[in-house]
Amino acid sequence: MKAFRLDELEAERTANEGAYLQFLRERNMSVGLYALDAGGHDPQKPHNQDEVYFVVSGRASITVGLETTEVARGSVVYVPAGVSHKFHHISEDLRVLVVFSPPEA
C-alpha cells in the first residue's frame, strides 16, 4: 500500500517551487497535485493521456474543448487525451488532484 497526506504533499510541492508535484507513478496511471493561486494563469497544453481532476480546495472555472463549467471543492472533471483545457477565473487558491492514464510521460 501507498498512502499520502495532502498537507505533506502540499509542503513538498511548495518546497520544490513548482505548480505540479507527481507523487505516484504506476504502470497504468500517475497521480499528482496541481496548484494555481487565486488570479493565477494556467499554462497547460493538451496532454497525450486521459485525465481526471478532483478539486480538493479552491474555486475556478475550467474550459475543456468548447465547454466551460465552474469547479469547487469536490468537483470531478474528465479531460480526454488531446483536448485543449485550462483553469481560469481562479477566485480562490486551487488545489487539484490529477490522475493521468496512462502515466504522464
Side-chain angles (χ1 to χ4, degrees):
M1 173 173 50
K2 296 177 183 175
F4 305 91
R5 291 181 44 99
L6 285 173
D7 57 343
E8 293 171 355
L9 295 172
E10 177 67 9
E12 183 178 349
R13 185 200 60 77
T14 300
N16 289 323
E17 299 180 1
Y20 183 72
L21 171 71
Q22 182 183 92
F23 62 88
L24 179 65
R25 184 178 182 85
E26 297 294 335
R27 186 172 53 89
N28 293 317
M29 63 177 241
S30 61
V31 184
L33 177 63
Y34 190 40
L36 293 165
D37 292 336
H41 169 73
D42 183 1
Q44 292 191 80
K45 303 217 182 304
H47 304 282
N48 295 324
Q49 304 84 3
D50 288 340
E51 292 177 81
V52 173
Y53 290 113
F54 174 74
V55 179
V56 175
S57 63
R59 189 172 296 278
S61 294
I62 186 171
T63 298
V64 178
L66 300 175
E67 297 180 88
T68 299
T69 192
E70 292 183 13
V71 295
R73 188 178 116 203
S75 297
V76 178
V77 178
Y78 167 69
V79 180
V83 174
S84 177
H85 58 286
K86 293 217 183 283
F87 289 99
H88 52 91
H89 295 98
I90 304 165
S91 59
E92 296 175 13
D93 291 352
L94 194 62
R95 300 300 181 263
V96 182
L97 287 179
V98 185
V99 179
F100 286 99
S101 181
E104 185 181 31

